[in-house]
Structure formats: structure tokens, C-alpha cells
């Protein structure tokens, strides 16, 4: 585990603890950090491999969705960019060895996220009419009950 991974882990765990203190609603998870702290895994940060086109800035959920498939798994979670060193809700893909394929950022140093089944992500995006799986009121079912059995890899 890198120093950046440790920093990110500490942040996510602290935020999850705060979310549990603030939101005593009986749900399984209380926010993005809480669900990521519980079931997220670390991926290996790397530069974008040759042959992968960078997507538009600030559209990480769309960029990762478009890259998903062809040997790449969609991941959503919390990541740490080198420039700000402030963890943010982010999306990327990974290859079969959990190497990060981030079509949005050029400076990600730590990635902690949830690896999702392609059909689950695709169906959820179609149903919601917007990219991303976690992070807004459309994710409350996942916070309340957790992910369906076949949603995660």
C-alpha cells in the first residue's frame, strides 16, 4: 500500500464514521464514502496506456462508461489526484490486473472503488438517464439495501 493509498483509506474511513454519526436512518450504508469503505478495493494507479483516448474533463462517469467493456471493468469510488490531494467521488476502469485506466485524470495517485458488472452499470445508466451509479438520490436503494448479488465483480 502506497502512502497515497494510506491517505485515501484514512479519509474514506473518517468520512464513513462521520456519515454513520450524522445519518442514523437504519440503512446499510450512509453515503459514497461509507459504501466504498465497506466494499471498495484499491486499484493500481498508472499513466493512461497508449491507445486509450482521454475523455473530456469533469465527465469521469461518462468517460469510464464509454471505456467499459473490451477487457475493462467499470469502477466507481473515491480517488486522490496529485494536484489537489483532496479525495473526490470519481469513476475509472481497470484491466484484469486491477491497473487503473483513467480516461479523465492525468494525475491520479490513489484509487479505492467498487468494481461493477457491466450489465448492471449499463442497465442502471439507461434506467436513470444519466451516468454514474453512486452519489445522488438515485443511489438511495444501494445505500439502503446494498448492491444486488450480481452487480459486483
Amino acid at each position: 500500500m502506497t502512502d497515497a493509498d494510506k491517505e485515501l483509506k484514512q479519509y474514506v474511513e473518517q468520512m464513513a464514521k462521520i456519515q454513520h454519526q450524522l445519518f442514523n436512518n437504519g440503512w446499510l450504508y450512509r453515503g459514497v464514502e461509507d459504501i466504498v469503505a465497506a466494499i471498495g478495493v484499491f486499484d493500481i494507479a498508472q499513466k493512461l496506456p497508449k491507445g486509450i483516448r482521454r475523455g473530456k474533463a469533469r465527465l469521469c462517469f461518462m468517460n469510464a462508461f464509454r471505456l467499459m467493456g473490451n477487457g475493462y471493468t467499470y469502477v466507481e469510488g473515491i480517488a486522490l489526484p496529485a494536484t489537489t490531494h483532496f479525495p473526490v467521488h470519481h469513476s475509472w476502469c481497470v484491466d484484469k490486473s486491477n491497473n487503473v485506466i483513467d480516461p479523465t485524470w492525468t494525475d491520479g495517485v490513489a484509487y479505492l472503488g467498487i468494481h461493477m458488472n457491466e450489465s448492471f452499470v449499463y442497465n442502471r445508466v439507461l434506467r436513470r438517464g444519466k451516468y454514474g451509479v453512486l452519489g445522488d438520490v438515485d443511489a438511495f436503494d444501494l445505500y439502503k439495501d446494498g448492491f444486488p448479488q450480481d452487480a459486483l465483480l
Side-chain angles (χ1 to χ4, degrees), residues 2 9 16 20-21 30 35 39 52 61 72 79 88 107 112 115 125 134 140 151:
T2 68
K9 183 177 193 263
H20 272 265
Q21 291 169 346
R30 285 16 184 289
I35 200 167
I39 62 175
I52 305 291
F61 305 110
Y72 298 128
V88 296
D107 67 337
L112 178 60
H115 296 208
V125 167
L134 304 172
F140 283 175

PDB file of all heavy atoms in Angstrom, residues 2 9 16 20-21 30 35 39 52 61 72 79 88 107 112 115 125 134 140 151:
ATOM      1  N   THR A   2       0.625   2.132  -0.939  1.00  0.00           N
ATOM      2  CA  THR A   2       1.418   3.353  -1.051  1.00  0.00           C
ATOM      3  C   THR A   2       0.993   4.364   0.020  1.00  0.00           C
ATOM      4  O   THR A   2      -0.067   4.219   0.647  1.00  0.00           O
ATOM      5  CB  THR A   2       1.249   3.998  -2.433  1.00  0.00           C
ATOM      6  OG1 THR A   2      -0.093   4.488  -2.543  1.00  0.00           O
ATOM      7  CG2 THR A   2       1.548   3.016  -3.560  1.00  0.00           C
ATOM      8  N   LYS A   9      -7.329   5.919   2.259  1.00  0.00           N
ATOM      9  CA  LYS A   9      -8.026   4.993   3.164  1.00  0.00           C
ATOM     10  C   LYS A   9      -8.434   5.706   4.453  1.00  0.00           C
ATOM     11  O   LYS A   9      -9.570   5.566   4.925  1.00  0.00           O
ATOM     12  CB  LYS A   9      -7.133   3.801   3.486  1.00  0.00           C
ATOM     13  CG  LYS A   9      -7.791   2.759   4.360  1.00  0.00           C
ATOM     14  CD  LYS A   9      -6.855   1.570   4.564  1.00  0.00           C
ATOM     15  CE  LYS A   9      -7.575   0.404   5.138  1.00  0.00           C
ATOM     16  NZ  LYS A   9      -7.524   0.198   6.501  1.00  0.00           N
ATOM     17  N   ALA A  16     -16.736   7.909   6.458  1.00  0.00           N
ATOM     18  CA  ALA A  16     -17.748   6.878   6.722  1.00  0.00           C
ATOM     19  C   ALA A  16     -18.198   6.940   8.182  1.00  0.00           C
ATOM     20  O   ALA A  16     -19.398   6.829   8.479  1.00  0.00           O
ATOM     21  CB  ALA A  16     -17.195   5.500   6.378  1.00  0.00           C
ATOM     22  N   HIS A  20     -22.033   7.812   9.536  1.00  0.00           N
ATOM     23  CA  HIS A  20     -22.805   6.982  10.470  1.00  0.00           C
ATOM     24  C   HIS A  20     -23.292   7.787  11.662  1.00  0.00           C
ATOM     25  O   HIS A  20     -24.375   7.537  12.181  1.00  0.00           O
ATOM     26  CB  HIS A  20     -21.966   5.780  10.937  1.00  0.00           C
ATOM     27  CG  HIS A  20     -22.099   4.615  10.034  1.00  0.00           C
ATOM     28  ND1 HIS A  20     -22.998   3.600  10.255  1.00  0.00           N
ATOM     29  CD2 HIS A  20     -21.461   4.310   8.875  1.00  0.00           C
ATOM     30  CE1 HIS A  20     -22.904   2.716   9.288  1.00  0.00           C
ATOM     31  NE2 HIS A  20     -21.979   3.118   8.435  1.00  0.00           N
ATOM     32  N   GLN A  21     -22.496   8.748  12.096  1.00  0.00           N
ATOM     33  CA  GLN A  21     -22.905   9.589  13.228  1.00  0.00           C
ATOM     34  C   GLN A  21     -24.018  10.554  12.833  1.00  0.00           C
ATOM     35  O   GLN A  21     -24.924  10.820  13.623  1.00  0.00           O
ATOM     36  CB  GLN A  21     -21.706  10.370  13.764  1.00  0.00           C
ATOM     37  CG  GLN A  21     -20.670   9.488  14.440  1.00  0.00           C
ATOM     38  CD  GLN A  21     -19.372  10.229  14.735  1.00  0.00           C
ATOM     39  OE1 GLN A  21     -19.126  11.326  14.223  1.00  0.00           O
ATOM     40  NE2 GLN A  21     -18.519   9.621  15.544  1.00  0.00           N
ATOM     41  N   ARG A  30     -24.405   4.854   4.512  1.00  0.00           N
ATOM     42  CA  ARG A  30     -24.892   6.213   4.714  1.00  0.00           C
ATOM     43  C   ARG A  30     -24.373   7.220   3.694  1.00  0.00           C
ATOM     44  O   ARG A  30     -24.675   8.395   3.774  1.00  0.00           O
ATOM     45  CB  ARG A  30     -24.500   6.700   6.102  1.00  0.00           C
ATOM     46  CG  ARG A  30     -25.246   6.178   7.344  1.00  0.00           C
ATOM     47  CD  ARG A  30     -26.065   4.973   7.187  1.00  0.00           C
ATOM     48  NE  ARG A  30     -26.854   4.499   8.307  1.00  0.00           N
ATOM     49  CZ  ARG A  30     -26.409   3.935   9.410  1.00  0.00           C
ATOM     50  NH1 ARG A  30     -25.132   3.840   9.657  1.00  0.00           N
ATOM     51  NH2 ARG A  30     -27.248   3.489  10.320  1.00  0.00           N
ATOM     52  N   ILE A  35     -20.051   3.338   1.686  1.00  0.00           N
ATOM     53  CA  ILE A  35     -20.163   2.139   0.854  1.00  0.00           C
ATOM     54  C   ILE A  35     -18.798   1.746   0.278  1.00  0.00           C
ATOM     55  O   ILE A  35     -18.455   0.571   0.204  1.00  0.00           O
ATOM     56  CB  ILE A  35     -21.249   2.312  -0.241  1.00  0.00           C
ATOM     57  CG1 ILE A  35     -21.724   0.962  -0.769  1.00  0.00           C
ATOM     58  CG2 ILE A  35     -20.793   3.213  -1.359  1.00  0.00           C
ATOM     59  CD1 ILE A  35     -22.988   1.044  -1.604  1.00  0.00           C
ATOM     60  N   ILE A  39     -16.909  -1.927   0.932  1.00  0.00           N
ATOM     61  CA  ILE A  39     -16.728  -2.957  -0.098  1.00  0.00           C
ATOM     62  C   ILE A  39     -15.757  -2.570  -1.207  1.00  0.00           C
ATOM     63  O   ILE A  39     -15.535  -3.354  -2.126  1.00  0.00           O
ATOM     64  CB  ILE A  39     -18.084  -3.385  -0.714  1.00  0.00           C
ATOM     65  CG1 ILE A  39     -18.778  -2.215  -1.411  1.00  0.00           C
ATOM     66  CG2 ILE A  39     -18.987  -4.002   0.341  1.00  0.00           C
ATOM     67  CD1 ILE A  39     -20.056  -2.604  -2.134  1.00  0.00           C
ATOM     68  N   ILE A  52      -5.395   4.434 -25.608  1.00  0.00           N
ATOM     69  CA  ILE A  52      -6.637   4.810 -24.930  1.00  0.00           C
ATOM     70  C   ILE A  52      -6.777   6.324 -25.022  1.00  0.00           C
ATOM     71  O   ILE A  52      -5.873   7.062 -24.632  1.00  0.00           O
ATOM     72  CB  ILE A  52      -6.624   4.394 -23.437  1.00  0.00           C
ATOM     73  CG1 ILE A  52      -6.344   2.907 -23.273  1.00  0.00           C
ATOM     74  CG2 ILE A  52      -7.935   4.802 -22.767  1.00  0.00           C
ATOM     75  CD1 ILE A  52      -7.430   2.002 -23.747  1.00  0.00           C
ATOM     76  N   PHE A  61     -17.686   9.947 -15.139  1.00  0.00           N
ATOM     77  CA  PHE A  61     -18.661   8.856 -15.178  1.00  0.00           C
ATOM     78  C   PHE A  61     -18.976   8.477 -16.624  1.00  0.00           C
ATOM     79  O   PHE A  61     -19.048   7.294 -16.958  1.00  0.00           O
ATOM     80  CB  PHE A  61     -19.930   9.238 -14.407  1.00  0.00           C
ATOM     81  CG  PHE A  61     -19.639   9.646 -12.989  1.00  0.00           C
ATOM     82  CD1 PHE A  61     -19.785  10.960 -12.587  1.00  0.00           C
ATOM     83  CD2 PHE A  61     -19.184   8.721 -12.059  1.00  0.00           C
ATOM     84  CE1 PHE A  61     -19.498  11.338 -11.290  1.00  0.00           C
ATOM     85  CE2 PHE A  61     -18.891   9.091 -10.755  1.00  0.00           C
ATOM     86  CZ  PHE A  61     -19.048  10.399 -10.371  1.00  0.00           C
ATOM     87  N   TYR A  72     -12.133  -4.161 -19.963  1.00  0.00           N
ATOM     88  CA  TYR A  72     -12.058  -3.148 -18.905  1.00  0.00           C
ATOM     89  C   TYR A  72     -13.325  -3.169 -18.053  1.00  0.00           C
ATOM     90  O   TYR A  72     -14.435  -3.221 -18.578  1.00  0.00           O
ATOM     91  CB  TYR A  72     -11.862  -1.747 -19.484  1.00  0.00           C
ATOM     92  CG  TYR A  72     -10.584  -1.598 -20.262  1.00  0.00           C
ATOM     93  CD1 TYR A  72     -10.593  -1.092 -21.547  1.00  0.00           C
ATOM     94  CD2 TYR A  72      -9.362  -1.969 -19.710  1.00  0.00           C
ATOM     95  CE1 TYR A  72      -9.415  -0.952 -22.270  1.00  0.00           C
ATOM     96  CE2 TYR A  72      -8.182  -1.832 -20.424  1.00  0.00           C
ATOM     97  CZ  TYR A  72      -8.222  -1.324 -21.703  1.00  0.00           C
ATOM     98  OH  TYR A  72      -7.061  -1.188 -22.412  1.00  0.00           O
ATOM     99  N   ALA A  79     -11.195   8.738  -5.298  1.00  0.00           N
ATOM    100  CA  ALA A  79      -9.826   8.756  -5.811  1.00  0.00           C
ATOM    101  C   ALA A  79      -9.129  10.039  -5.370  1.00  0.00           C
ATOM    102  O   ALA A  79      -9.776  11.020  -4.994  1.00  0.00           O
ATOM    103  CB  ALA A  79      -9.828   8.647  -7.331  1.00  0.00           C
ATOM    104  N   VAL A  88     -11.948  12.759  -4.043  1.00  0.00           N
ATOM    105  CA  VAL A  88     -13.236  13.074  -4.655  1.00  0.00           C
ATOM    106  C   VAL A  88     -13.913  11.810  -5.169  1.00  0.00           C
ATOM    107  O   VAL A  88     -13.263  10.813  -5.473  1.00  0.00           O
ATOM    108  CB  VAL A  88     -13.096  14.086  -5.819  1.00  0.00           C
ATOM    109  CG1 VAL A  88     -12.592  15.420  -5.342  1.00  0.00           C
ATOM    110  CG2 VAL A  88     -12.211  13.543  -6.914  1.00  0.00           C
ATOM    111  N   ASP A 107      -3.450  12.762 -13.313  1.00  0.00           N
ATOM    112  CA  ASP A 107      -2.621  12.820 -12.109  1.00  0.00           C
ATOM    113  C   ASP A 107      -3.159  12.025 -10.921  1.00  0.00           C
ATOM    114  O   ASP A 107      -2.834  12.311  -9.776  1.00  0.00           O
ATOM    115  CB  ASP A 107      -2.444  14.281 -11.687  1.00  0.00           C
ATOM    116  CG  ASP A 107      -3.749  14.912 -11.211  1.00  0.00           C
ATOM    117  OD1 ASP A 107      -4.842  14.415 -11.586  1.00  0.00           O
ATOM    118  OD2 ASP A 107      -3.681  15.897 -10.453  1.00  0.00           O
ATOM    119  N   LEU A 112      -9.689   3.974  -4.774  1.00  0.00           N
ATOM    120  CA  LEU A 112     -10.396   2.998  -3.946  1.00  0.00           C
ATOM    121  C   LEU A 112     -11.834   2.956  -4.439  1.00  0.00           C
ATOM    122  O   LEU A 112     -12.565   3.947  -4.334  1.00  0.00           O
ATOM    123  CB  LEU A 112     -10.347   3.413  -2.470  1.00  0.00           C
ATOM    124  CG  LEU A 112     -11.076   2.538  -1.458  1.00  0.00           C
ATOM    125  CD1 LEU A 112     -10.523   1.114  -1.455  1.00  0.00           C
ATOM    126  CD2 LEU A 112     -10.975   3.146  -0.061  1.00  0.00           C
ATOM    127  N   HIS A 115     -15.832  -2.404  -8.024  1.00  0.00           N
ATOM    128  CA  HIS A 115     -15.814  -2.988  -9.363  1.00  0.00           C
ATOM    129  C   HIS A 115     -17.207  -3.531  -9.669  1.00  0.00           C
ATOM    130  O   HIS A 115     -17.722  -4.364  -8.930  1.00  0.00           O
ATOM    131  CB  HIS A 115     -14.798  -4.126  -9.436  1.00  0.00           C
ATOM    132  CG  HIS A 115     -13.396  -3.669  -9.236  1.00  0.00           C
ATOM    133  ND1 HIS A 115     -12.331  -4.331  -9.783  1.00  0.00           N
ATOM    134  CD2 HIS A 115     -12.860  -2.617  -8.557  1.00  0.00           C
ATOM    135  CE1 HIS A 115     -11.212  -3.713  -9.454  1.00  0.00           C
ATOM    136  NE2 HIS A 115     -11.520  -2.672  -8.704  1.00  0.00           N
ATOM    137  N   VAL A 125     -27.577   2.990 -15.823  1.00  0.00           N
ATOM    138  CA  VAL A 125     -27.432   4.254 -16.552  1.00  0.00           C
ATOM    139  C   VAL A 125     -28.632   4.465 -17.484  1.00  0.00           C
ATOM    140  O   VAL A 125     -29.176   5.566 -17.556  1.00  0.00           O
ATOM    141  CB  VAL A 125     -26.096   4.291 -17.323  1.00  0.00           C
ATOM    142  CG1 VAL A 125     -26.058   5.418 -18.331  1.00  0.00           C
ATOM    143  CG2 VAL A 125     -24.935   4.407 -16.341  1.00  0.00           C
ATOM    144  N   LEU A 134     -23.285   5.839  -8.060  1.00  0.00           N
ATOM    145  CA  LEU A 134     -23.358   6.295  -6.673  1.00  0.00           C
ATOM    146  C   LEU A 134     -23.487   7.809  -6.608  1.00  0.00           C
ATOM    147  O   LEU A 134     -23.233   8.499  -7.577  1.00  0.00           O
ATOM    148  CB  LEU A 134     -22.087   5.884  -5.919  1.00  0.00           C
ATOM    149  CG  LEU A 134     -21.731   4.413  -5.914  1.00  0.00           C
ATOM    150  CD1 LEU A 134     -20.361   4.210  -5.301  1.00  0.00           C
ATOM    151  CD2 LEU A 134     -22.779   3.609  -5.177  1.00  0.00           C
ATOM    152  N   PHE A 140     -30.037   5.875  -3.491  1.00  0.00           N
ATOM    153  CA  PHE A 140     -30.530   5.563  -2.157  1.00  0.00           C
ATOM    154  C   PHE A 140     -30.878   4.087  -1.996  1.00  0.00           C
ATOM    155  O   PHE A 140     -30.749   3.535  -0.917  1.00  0.00           O
ATOM    156  CB  PHE A 140     -31.731   6.441  -1.800  1.00  0.00           C
ATOM    157  CG  PHE A 140     -31.363   7.846  -1.420  1.00  0.00           C
ATOM    158  CD1 PHE A 140     -32.349   8.772  -1.172  1.00  0.00           C
ATOM    159  CD2 PHE A 140     -30.041   8.258  -1.302  1.00  0.00           C
ATOM    160  CE1 PHE A 140     -32.039  10.081  -0.812  1.00  0.00           C
ATOM    161  CE2 PHE A 140     -29.717   9.561  -0.949  1.00  0.00           C
ATOM    162  CZ  PHE A 140     -30.712  10.466  -0.700  1.00  0.00           C
ATOM    163  N   ALA A 151     -24.374  -7.594  -9.163  1.00  0.00           N
ATOM    164  CA  ALA A 151     -23.903  -6.272  -9.590  1.00  0.00           C
ATOM    165  C   ALA A 151     -22.404  -6.092  -9.468  1.00  0.00           C
ATOM    166  O   ALA A 151     -21.812  -5.264 -10.153  1.00  0.00           O
ATOM    167  CB  ALA A 151     -24.614  -5.180  -8.791  1.00  0.00           C
TER     168      ALA A 151
END
